[in-house]
Coordinates of all heavy atoms in Angstrom, one line a residue:
M1 N 102.6 129.2 96.0 CA 103.0 128.6 97.2 C 104.2 127.7 96.9 O 104.2 126.8 96.1 CB 101.9 127.8 97.9 CG 102.3 127.1 99.1 SD 100.8 126.3 99.8 CE 101.6 125.4 101.1
K2 N 105.3 127.9 97.7 CA 106.5 127.1 97.5 C 106.5 125.9 98.4 O 106.1 126.0 99.6 CB 107.7 128.0 97.8 CG 109.0 127.3 97.5 CD 110.1 128.3 97.6 CE 111.5 127.6 97.6 NZ 112.0 127.3 96.3
H3 N 106.8 124.8 97.9 CA 106.8 123.5 98.7 C 108.2 123.1 99.0 O 109.1 123.3 98.1 CB 106.1 122.4 97.9 CG 104.7 122.7 97.6 ND1 103.7 122.5 98.5 CD2 104.1 123.1 96.5 CE1 102.5 122.8 98.0 NE2 102.8 123.2 96.7
S4 N 108.5 122.6 100.2 CA 109.8 122.0 100.5 C 110.0 120.7 99.8 O 109.1 120.1 99.3 CB 109.9 121.8 102.0 OG 109.1 120.7 102.4
S5 N 111.3 120.3 99.7 CA 111.6 119.1 99.0 C 110.9 117.9 99.8 O 110.5 116.9 99.2 CB 113.1 118.9 98.9 OG 113.7 118.9 100.1
K6 N 110.8 118.0 101.1 CA 110.2 116.9 101.9 C 108.7 116.8 101.5 O 108.2 115.7 101.4 CB 110.3 117.1 103.4 CG 111.7 116.8 103.9 CD 111.8 116.7 105.4 CE 111.2 117.8 106.2 NZ 111.5 117.7 107.6
E7 N 108.0 118.0 101.3 CA 106.6 118.0 101.0 C 106.4 117.4 99.6 O 105.5 116.7 99.3 CB 106.1 119.4 101.0 CG 105.9 119.9 102.4 CD 105.6 121.4 102.5 OE1 106.1 122.2 101.6 OE2 104.9 121.8 103.5
I8 N 107.3 117.8 98.6 CA 107.2 117.3 97.3 C 107.4 115.8 97.2 O 106.7 115.0 96.6 CB 108.2 118.0 96.4 CG1 107.8 119.5 96.3 CG2 108.2 117.4 95.0 CD1 108.8 120.4 95.6
L9 N 108.4 115.3 97.9 CA 108.7 113.9 98.0 C 107.5 113.1 98.6 O 107.0 112.1 98.0 CB 109.9 113.6 98.9 CG 110.2 112.1 99.1 CD1 110.5 111.4 97.8 CD2 111.3 111.9 100.1
S10 N 106.9 113.7 99.7 CA 105.7 113.1 100.3 C 104.6 113.0 99.2 O 104.0 111.9 99.1 CB 105.3 113.9 101.5 OG 104.0 113.5 101.9
M11 N 104.3 114.1 98.5 CA 103.3 114.1 97.5 C 103.5 113.1 96.4 O 102.6 112.3 96.0 CB 103.2 115.5 97.0 CG 102.1 115.7 95.9 SD 101.9 117.4 95.4 CE 103.5 117.6 94.5
N12 N 104.8 113.0 96.0 CA 105.1 112.1 94.9 C 105.0 110.6 95.3 O 104.5 109.8 94.6 CB 106.5 112.4 94.3 CG 106.5 113.6 93.5 OD1 105.4 114.0 92.9 ND2 107.6 114.3 93.4
L13 N 105.5 110.3 96.5 CA 105.4 108.9 97.0 C 103.9 108.5 97.1 O 103.5 107.4 96.7 CB 106.1 108.7 98.3 CG 107.6 108.9 98.3 CD1 108.2 108.7 99.7 CD2 108.2 107.8 97.4
K14 N 103.1 109.4 97.7 CA 101.7 109.1 97.9 C 101.0 108.9 96.5 O 100.2 108.0 96.3 CB 101.0 110.2 98.6 CG 101.3 110.2 100.1 CD 100.7 111.4 100.8 CE 101.1 111.5 102.2 NZ 100.6 112.7 102.9
F15 N 101.4 109.7 95.5 CA 100.8 109.6 94.2 C 101.1 108.3 93.6 O 100.2 107.6 93.1 CB 101.4 110.8 93.3 CG 101.0 110.6 91.8 CD1 99.8 111.0 91.4 CD2 102.0 110.0 91.0 CE1 99.5 110.8 90.0 CE2 101.7 109.9 89.6 CZ 100.4 110.3 89.1
Y16 N 102.4 107.9 93.6 CA 102.7 106.6 93.0 C 102.1 105.4 93.7 O 101.7 104.4 93.1 CB 104.3 106.4 92.9 CG 104.8 107.3 91.8 CD1 105.6 108.4 92.0 CD2 104.5 107.0 90.4 CE1 106.1 109.2 91.0 CE2 105.0 107.8 89.4 CZ 105.8 108.9 89.7 OH 106.2 109.7 88.7
R17 N 102.1 105.5 95.1 CA 101.4 104.4 95.8 C 99.9 104.3 95.4 O 99.4 103.2 95.2 CB 101.5 104.6 97.3 CG 102.9 104.3 97.8 CD 102.9 104.0 99.3 NE 102.2 104.9 100.2 CZ 101.0 104.7 100.7 NH1 100.4 103.5 100.5 NH2 100.4 105.6 101.5
Q18 N 99.3 105.4 95.3 CA 97.9 105.4 95.0 C 97.7 104.9 93.5 O 96.8 104.1 93.2 CB 97.2 106.8 95.1 CG 95.7 106.8 94.9 CD 95.1 108.1 95.1 OE1 95.7 109.2 94.7 NE2 94.0 108.2 95.8
K19 N 98.5 105.4 92.6 CA 98.5 105.0 91.2 C 98.5 103.4 91.1 O 97.9 102.9 90.2 CB 99.6 105.6 90.4 CG 99.6 105.3 89.0 CD 100.7 106.0 88.2 CE 100.7 105.6 86.8 NZ 101.7 106.4 86.0
Y20 N 99.4 102.8 91.9 CA 99.6 101.4 91.8 C 98.9 100.6 92.9 O 99.1 99.4 93.1 CB 101.1 101.0 91.7 CG 101.7 101.5 90.5 CD1 102.4 102.7 90.5 CD2 101.6 100.9 89.3 CE1 103.0 103.2 89.3 CE2 102.1 101.4 88.1 CZ 102.8 102.5 88.1 OH 103.3 103.0 87.0
N21 N 98.0 101.3 93.6 CA 97.2 100.7 94.7 C 98.0 99.9 95.7 O 97.6 98.7 95.9 CB 96.0 99.9 94.0 CG 94.9 99.6 95.0 OD1 94.6 100.4 95.8 ND2 94.3 98.4 94.9
L22 N 99.0 100.5 96.2 CA 99.9 99.8 97.2 C 99.8 100.4 98.5 O 99.7 101.7 98.7 CB 101.3 99.9 96.7 CG 101.7 99.3 95.4 CD1 103.1 99.7 94.9 CD2 101.6 97.8 95.5
S23 N 99.7 99.6 99.6 CA 99.8 100.1 100.9 C 101.3 100.6 101.2 O 102.2 100.2 100.4 CB 99.5 99.0 101.9 OG 100.5 97.9 101.8
Q24 N 101.5 101.3 102.2 CA 102.8 101.7 102.6 C 103.7 100.5 102.8 O 104.9 100.5 102.4 CB 102.9 102.6 103.9 CG 102.4 104.0 103.6 CD 102.5 104.8 104.9 OE1 102.5 104.3 106.0 NE2 102.6 106.1 104.7
E25 N 103.2 99.5 103.4 CA 103.9 98.3 103.7 C 104.3 97.6 102.4 O 105.5 97.2 102.2 CB 103.1 97.3 104.5 CG 103.8 96.1 105.0 CD 102.9 95.2 105.9 OE1 101.7 95.4 106.0 OE2 103.5 94.4 106.6
K26 N 103.4 97.4 101.5 CA 103.7 96.8 100.2 C 104.7 97.6 99.4 O 105.6 97.1 98.7 CB 102.4 96.5 99.4 CG 102.6 95.6 98.2 CD 103.2 94.2 98.5 CE 102.2 93.3 99.1 NZ 102.7 91.9 99.3
F27 N 104.5 98.9 99.4 CA 105.4 99.8 98.7 C 106.8 99.7 99.2 O 107.8 99.6 98.5 CB 104.9 101.3 98.8 CG 105.7 102.3 98.0 CD1 105.5 102.5 96.7 CD2 106.6 103.0 98.7 CE1 106.2 103.4 96.0 CE2 107.4 104.0 98.0 CZ 107.2 104.2 96.6
A28 N 106.9 99.7 100.5 CA 108.2 99.6 101.2 C 108.9 98.4 100.8 O 110.1 98.3 100.5 CB 108.1 99.7 102.7
E29 N 108.2 97.3 100.8 CA 108.7 96.0 100.4 C 109.3 96.0 99.0 O 110.4 95.5 98.7 CB 107.6 94.9 100.5 CG 108.0 93.5 100.2 CD 106.8 92.6 100.3 OE1 106.2 92.5 101.3 OE2 106.5 91.9 99.3
K30 N 108.5 96.6 98.1 CA 108.9 96.6 96.7 C 110.1 97.6 96.4 O 110.9 97.3 95.5 CB 107.7 97.1 95.8 CG 106.7 96.0 95.7 CD 105.6 96.3 94.7 CE 104.6 95.2 94.6 NZ 105.1 94.1 93.8
V31 N 110.3 98.6 97.2 CA 111.4 99.5 97.0 C 112.6 99.2 97.9 O 113.6 99.9 97.9 CB 111.0 101.0 97.1 CG1 110.0 101.4 96.1 CG2 110.6 101.4 98.5
G32 N 112.5 98.1 98.7 CA 113.6 97.7 99.5 C 113.8 98.6 100.8 O 114.9 98.8 101.2
S33 N 112.7 99.0 101.4 CA 112.7 99.8 102.6 C 111.9 99.1 103.6 O 111.6 97.9 103.5 CB 112.3 101.2 102.3 OG 112.4 102.0 103.4
N34 N 111.4 99.9 104.6 CA 110.5 99.4 105.6 C 109.4 100.4 105.8 O 109.4 101.5 105.5 CB 111.2 99.0 106.9 CG 111.8 100.2 107.6 OD1 111.1 101.1 108.0 ND2 113.1 100.3 107.7
L35 N 108.3 99.8 106.4 CA 107.1 100.6 106.6 C 107.3 101.9 107.4 O 106.8 103.0 107.0 CB 106.0 99.7 107.3 CG 104.8 100.4 107.8 CD1 104.0 101.0 106.7 CD2 103.9 99.5 108.6
V36 N 108.1 101.8 108.5 CA 108.3 103.0 109.3 C 109.0 104.1 108.5 O 108.6 105.3 108.6 CB 109.1 102.6 110.6 CG1 109.5 103.9 111.4 CG2 108.3 101.7 111.5
Y37 N 110.0 103.8 107.8 CA 110.8 104.7 107.0 C 109.9 105.4 105.9 O 109.9 106.6 105.8 CB 112.0 104.1 106.3 CG 112.9 105.1 105.7 CD1 113.8 105.7 106.5 CD2 112.9 105.3 104.4 CE1 114.7 106.7 106.0 CE2 113.8 106.2 103.8 CZ 114.7 106.9 104.6 OH 115.5 107.8 104.1
I38 N 109.1 104.6 105.2 CA 108.2 105.2 104.2 C 107.2 106.1 104.8 O 106.9 107.1 104.3 CB 107.6 104.0 103.3 CG1 108.6 103.3 102.5 CG2 106.5 104.6 102.4 CD1 109.4 104.1 101.5
N39 N 106.6 105.6 105.9 CA 105.6 106.4 106.7 C 106.2 107.8 107.1 O 105.6 108.8 106.9 CB 105.1 105.7 107.9 CG 104.1 106.5 108.6 OD1 104.4 107.3 109.5 ND2 102.8 106.2 108.3
E40 N 107.5 107.8 107.6 CA 108.1 109.0 108.0 C 108.4 109.9 106.8 O 108.2 111.1 106.9 CB 109.4 108.7 108.7 CG 109.2 108.1 110.1 CD 110.5 107.7 110.8 OE1 111.5 107.5 110.1 OE2 110.4 107.5 112.0
L41 N 108.7 109.4 105.6 CA 108.9 110.2 104.4 C 107.6 110.8 104.0 O 107.5 112.0 103.7 CB 109.5 109.3 103.3 CG 110.9 108.8 103.4 CD1 111.3 108.0 102.3 CD2 111.9 110.0 103.6
E42 N 106.5 110.0 104.0 CA 105.3 110.5 103.5 C 104.7 111.5 104.5 O 103.8 112.4 104.1 CB 104.3 109.3 103.3 CG 104.6 108.5 102.1 CD 103.4 107.6 101.7 OE1 102.3 107.7 102.4 OE2 103.6 106.8 100.8
N43 N 105.1 111.5 105.7 CA 104.5 112.5 106.7 C 105.5 113.6 107.0 O 105.4 114.3 108.0 CB 104.1 111.7 108.0 CG 102.9 110.9 107.8 OD1 101.8 111.5 107.4 ND2 103.0 109.6 107.9
C44 N 106.5 113.7 106.1 CA 107.5 114.8 106.2 C 108.3 114.8 107.6 O 108.7 115.9 108.1 CB 106.9 116.1 106.0 SG 106.1 116.3 104.3
H45 N 108.5 113.6 108.1 CA 109.2 113.5 109.4 C 110.7 113.1 109.2 O 111.4 113.0 110.2 CB 108.5 112.6 110.3 CG 107.2 113.0 110.8 ND1 106.9 114.2 111.4 CD2 106.0 112.4 110.6 CE1 105.6 114.3 111.6 NE2 105.0 113.2 111.2
R46 N 111.1 112.9 108.0 CA 112.4 112.4 107.8 C 113.0 113.0 106.4 O 112.2 113.1 105.5 CB 112.5 110.9 107.7 CG 113.9 110.3 107.6 CD 113.8 108.8 107.6 NE 113.7 108.3 109.0 CZ 114.7 107.6 109.6 NH1 115.8 107.4 108.9 NH2 114.6 107.2 110.8
K47 N 114.2 113.3 106.4 CA 114.9 113.7 105.2 C 115.7 112.5 104.7 O 116.5 111.9 105.4 CB 115.9 114.8 105.4 CG 115.3 116.1 105.8 CD 116.4 117.1 106.0 CE 115.9 118.4 106.5 NZ 116.9 119.4 106.7
P48 N 115.4 112.0 103.4 CA 116.1 110.9 102.9 C 117.5 111.3 102.4 O 117.7 112.4 102.1 CB 115.2 110.4 101.7 CG 114.6 111.7 101.3 CD 114.4 112.5 102.5
T49 N 118.4 110.3 102.4 CA 119.7 110.5 101.8 C 119.6 110.4 100.3 O 118.6 109.8 99.8 CB 120.7 109.5 102.3 OG1 120.3 108.2 101.8 CG2 120.9 109.5 103.8
I50 N 120.5 110.9 99.5 CA 120.5 110.7 98.1 C 120.6 109.2 97.7 O 119.9 108.7 96.8 CB 121.7 111.4 97.4 CG1 121.6 112.9 97.7 CG2 121.9 111.1 96.0 CD1 120.5 113.6 97.0
D51 N 121.3 108.4 98.5 CA 121.4 107.0 98.2 C 120.0 106.3 98.4 O 119.7 105.4 97.6 CB 122.4 106.3 99.2 CG 123.8 106.6 98.8 OD1 124.1 107.1 97.7 OD2 124.7 106.5 99.7
M52 N 119.3 106.8 99.4 CA 118.0 106.2 99.6 C 117.0 106.6 98.5 O 116.2 105.8 98.1 CB 117.4 106.6 101.0 CG 116.2 105.9 101.4 SD 116.5 104.1 101.3 CE 115.1 103.4 102.1
L53 N 117.1 107.9 98.1 CA 116.2 108.3 96.9 C 116.5 107.4 95.7 O 115.6 107.0 95.0 CB 116.4 109.7 96.6 CG 115.8 110.7 97.6 CD1 116.2 112.2 97.2 CD2 114.3 110.6 97.7
D54 N 117.8 107.2 95.5 CA 118.2 106.3 94.4 C 117.7 104.9 94.5 O 117.2 104.3 93.6 CB 119.8 106.2 94.3 CG 120.4 107.5 93.7 OD1 119.7 108.3 93.1 OD2 121.6 107.6 94.0
K55 N 117.7 104.4 95.7 CA 117.2 103.0 96.0 C 115.7 103.0 95.8 O 115.2 102.0 95.2 CB 117.5 102.7 97.5 CG 117.1 101.3 97.9 CD 117.6 101.0 99.3 CE 117.1 99.6 99.7 NZ 117.6 99.3 101.1
I56 N 115.0 104.0 96.2 CA 113.5 104.0 96.0 C 113.2 104.1 94.6 O 112.3 103.3 94.1 CB 112.9 105.2 96.8 CG1 113.0 105.0 98.3 CG2 111.4 105.4 96.4 CD1 112.6 106.2 99.2
A57 N 113.8 105.0 93.8 CA 113.6 105.1 92.4 C 113.9 103.8 91.7 O 113.1 103.3 90.8 CB 114.4 106.2 91.8
D58 N 115.0 103.2 92.0 CA 115.4 101.9 91.4 C 114.4 100.8 91.7 O 114.0 100.1 90.8 CB 116.8 101.5 91.9 CG 117.4 100.3 91.1 OD1 117.4 100.4 89.9 OD2 117.9 99.4 91.8
G59 N 114.0 100.7 92.9 CA 113.0 99.8 93.3 C 111.7 100.0 92.6 O 111.0 99.0 92.2
M60 N 111.3 101.2 92.4 CA 110.0 101.5 91.7 C 110.1 101.0 90.3 O 109.2 100.4 89.8 CB 109.7 103.0 91.8 CG 109.3 103.5 93.2 SD 109.1 105.3 93.3 CE 107.7 105.5 92.2
N61 N 111.2 101.3 89.7 CA 111.4 100.9 88.2 C 111.5 99.4 88.1 O 110.9 98.8 87.1 CB 112.7 101.5 87.7 CG 112.6 103.0 87.6 OD1 111.6 103.6 87.4 ND2 113.7 103.7 87.7
K62 N 112.1 98.7 89.0 CA 112.3 97.3 88.9 C 111.1 96.5 89.4 O 110.8 95.4 88.8 CB 113.6 96.8 89.7 CG 114.9 97.2 89.0 CD 116.0 96.7 89.8 CE 117.3 97.1 89.2 NZ 118.5 96.8 90.0
N63 N 110.5 96.9 90.5 CA 109.5 96.1 91.1 C 108.1 96.6 91.1 O 107.2 95.9 91.5 CB 109.9 95.9 92.6 CG 111.3 95.3 92.7 OD1 111.6 94.3 92.0 ND2 112.1 95.8 93.6
I64 N 107.9 97.8 90.6 CA 106.5 98.3 90.5 C 106.1 98.4 89.0 O 105.1 97.9 88.6 CB 106.4 99.6 91.3 CG1 106.6 99.4 92.8 CG2 105.0 100.3 91.0 CD1 106.5 100.6 93.6
D65 N 106.9 99.2 88.2 CA 106.5 99.3 86.8 C 107.8 99.7 86.1 O 108.4 100.8 86.2 CB 105.5 100.5 86.7 CG 105.0 100.6 85.3 OD1 105.6 100.1 84.3 OD2 104.0 101.3 85.1
S66 N 108.3 98.7 85.2 CA 109.5 98.9 84.5 C 109.4 100.1 83.5 O 110.4 100.6 83.0 CB 109.9 97.6 83.8 OG 109.0 97.2 82.9
K67 N 108.2 100.5 83.1 CA 108.0 101.6 82.2 C 108.1 103.0 82.8 O 108.2 104.0 82.2 CB 106.6 101.5 81.5 CG 106.5 100.2 80.7 CD 105.1 100.1 80.1 CE 104.8 98.7 79.7 NZ 103.4 98.4 80.0
L68 N 108.2 103.0 84.2 CA 108.3 104.3 84.9 C 109.6 105.1 84.5 O 109.5 106.2 84.2 CB 108.3 104.1 86.4 CG 107.0 104.1 87.1 CD1 107.2 103.8 88.6 CD2 106.3 105.5 87.0
N69 N 110.7 104.4 84.6 CA 112.0 105.0 84.3 C 112.2 106.3 85.1 O 112.6 107.3 84.6 CB 112.2 105.3 82.8 CG 113.6 105.5 82.4 OD1 114.5 104.9 83.1 ND2 113.9 106.2 81.4
I70 N 111.8 106.2 86.4 CA 111.9 107.4 87.3 C 113.3 107.5 87.9 O 114.0 106.5 88.1 CB 110.8 107.2 88.4 CG1 110.6 108.5 89.1 CG2 111.2 106.2 89.4 CD1 109.3 108.6 89.9
T71 N 113.7 108.7 88.1 CA 115.0 108.9 88.8 C 114.8 109.5 90.2 O 113.7 110.0 90.5 CB 115.9 109.9 87.9 OG1 115.2 111.2 88.0 CG2 116.1 109.4 86.5
S72 N 115.9 109.5 90.9 CA 115.8 110.1 92.3 C 115.4 111.6 92.2 O 114.6 112.1 93.0 CB 117.1 109.9 93.1 OG 118.2 110.4 92.4
S73 N 115.9 112.3 91.2 CA 115.5 113.7 91.1 C 114.1 113.9 90.7 O 113.4 114.9 91.1 CB 116.4 114.4 90.1 OG 116.3 113.9 88.8
D74 N 113.5 112.9 90.0 CA 112.0 113.0 89.7 C 111.2 112.9 91.0 O 110.1 113.5 91.1 CB 111.6 111.8 88.8 CG 112.2 111.9 87.4 OD1 112.4 113.1 86.9 OD2 112.4 110.9 86.8
L75 N 111.7 112.2 92.0 CA 111.0 112.1 93.3 C 110.9 113.4 94.0 O 110.0 113.6 94.9 CB 111.6 111.0 94.2 CG 111.5 109.6 93.6 CD1 112.3 108.7 94.5 CD2 110.1 109.1 93.6
I76 N 111.8 114.3 93.8 CA 111.7 115.6 94.5 C 111.4 116.8 93.5 O 111.7 117.9 93.8 CB 113.0 115.9 95.3 CG1 114.2 115.8 94.4 CG2 113.0 115.0 96.5 CD1 115.5 116.2 95.1
K77 N 110.8 116.4 92.3 CA 110.4 117.4 91.4 C 108.9 117.7 91.5 O 108.1 116.7 91.5 CB 110.7 116.9 90.0 CG 110.7 118.0 88.9 CD 111.1 117.4 87.6 CE 112.6 117.0 87.6 NZ 113.0 116.3 86.4
Y78 N 108.5 118.9 91.6 CA 107.1 119.3 91.8 C 106.3 119.0 90.6 O 106.7 119.4 89.5 CB 107.0 120.7 92.3 CG 105.5 121.1 92.5 CD1 104.9 120.7 93.6 CD2 104.9 121.9 91.5 CE1 103.6 121.1 93.9 CE2 103.5 122.2 91.8 CZ 102.9 121.8 92.9 OH 101.6 122.1 93.1
D79 N 105.2 118.4 90.7 CA 104.3 118.2 89.6 C 102.9 118.3 90.2 O 102.4 117.5 91.0 CB 104.5 116.7 89.0 CG 103.6 116.5 87.8 OD1 102.5 117.1 87.7 OD2 103.9 115.5 87.1
A80 N 102.2 119.4 89.8 CA 100.9 119.7 90.4 C 99.9 118.6 90.1 O 98.9 118.4 90.9 CB 100.3 121.0 89.8
S81 N 100.1 117.8 89.1 CA 99.1 116.7 88.8 C 99.3 115.5 89.8 O 98.5 114.6 89.8 CB 99.3 116.2 87.4 OG 100.6 115.5 87.3
H82 N 100.3 115.6 90.6 CA 100.6 114.5 91.6 C 99.8 114.8 92.9 O 99.9 114.0 93.8 CB 102.1 114.3 91.9 CG 102.7 113.6 90.7 ND1 104.0 113.2 90.9 CD2 102.3 113.3 89.5 CE1 104.4 112.6 89.7 NE2 103.4 112.7 88.9
K83 N 99.1 115.9 93.0 CA 98.3 116.1 94.2 C 97.2 115.1 94.2 O 96.5 114.9 93.2 CB 97.8 117.5 94.2 CG 98.8 118.6 94.5 CD 98.2 119.9 94.7 CE 99.2 120.9 95.1 NZ 98.7 122.3 95.2
T84 N 97.0 114.5 95.4 CA 95.9 113.5 95.5 C 95.1 113.8 96.7 O 95.5 114.4 97.7 CB 96.5 112.1 95.7 OG1 97.3 112.0 96.9 CG2 97.4 111.7 94.5
N85 N 93.9 113.3 96.6 CA 93.0 113.2 97.8 C 93.2 111.8 98.3 O 92.5 110.9 98.0 CB 91.5 113.4 97.5 CG 91.3 114.9 97.1 OD1 91.9 115.8 97.6 ND2 90.3 115.1 96.3
F86 N 94.3 111.6 99.0 CA 94.8 110.3 99.3 C 93.9 109.6 100.4 O 93.7 110.1 101.5 CB 96.3 110.3 99.8 CG 96.9 109.0 99.7 CD1 97.3 108.5 98.5 CD2 97.1 108.3 100.9 CE1 97.9 107.2 98.5 CE2 97.7 107.0 100.8 CZ 98.1 106.5 99.6
N87 N 93.5 108.4 100.0 CA 92.7 107.6 101.0 C 93.7 106.5 101.4 O 94.5 106.0 100.6 CB 91.5 107.0 100.3 CG 90.5 108.0 100.0 OD1 90.3 109.0 100.7 ND2 89.8 107.9 98.8
R88 N 93.5 106.0 102.6 CA 94.3 104.9 103.1 C 94.1 103.6 102.3 O 93.0 103.3 102.0 CB 94.0 104.7 104.6 CG 94.8 103.6 105.2 CD 94.3 103.4 106.7 NE 94.9 102.2 107.2 CZ 95.8 102.2 108.1 NH1 96.2 103.3 108.6 NH2 96.3 101.1 108.5
I89 N 95.2 103.0 102.0 CA 95.1 101.7 101.3 C 95.6 100.7 102.4 O 96.7 100.7 102.9 CB 96.1 101.6 100.1 CG1 95.7 102.6 99.1 CG2 96.1 100.2 99.5 CD1 96.7 102.8 97.9
D90 N 94.6 99.9 102.8 CA 94.9 98.9 103.9 C 94.8 97.5 103.3 O 93.9 97.1 102.7 CB 93.8 99.1 104.9 CG 94.2 98.5 106.3 OD1 95.1 97.7 106.3 OD2 93.6 98.9 107.3
E91 N 95.8 96.7 103.6 CA 95.9 95.3 103.2 C 95.0 94.4 104.0 O 94.6 93.4 103.6 CB 97.4 94.8 103.3 CG 98.3 95.7 102.5 CD 98.8 95.0 101.3 OE1 98.8 93.8 101.2 OE2 99.0 95.7 100.3
R92 N 94.7 94.9 105.2 CA 93.9 94.0 106.1 C 92.4 94.1 105.7 O 91.9 95.2 105.6 CB 94.1 94.4 107.6 CG 95.5 94.3 108.0 CD 95.7 94.8 109.4 NE 97.0 95.4 109.4 CZ 97.3 96.4 110.1 NH1 96.5 97.0 110.9 NH2 98.6 96.9 110.1
K93 N 91.8 93.0 105.6 CA 90.4 93.1 105.3 C 89.6 92.2 106.2 O 90.0 91.3 106.8 CB 90.2 92.6 103.8 CG 91.0 93.4 102.9 CD 90.3 93.6 101.6 CE 91.2 94.6 100.8 NZ 90.8 95.3 99.9

């Protein structure tokens, strides 16, 4: 099955958020974006610009895990191990 770049990006963003136990809101804050934009990317409702992919990758490396060394092209690279049974991470308790 072939996946679109939007689907791959969605899968990768969800994977990294789950790996670091971040809500969409907290993830957006760390990568210099906003909740609505990250939600639209994760739900395949928006195509990001190359500049935005660079910004997300840079934010992940600087503010989430400096050992990641992820690039914008890594965000749209398919990796079957990044499939998740994603559960909602909610900051409100």
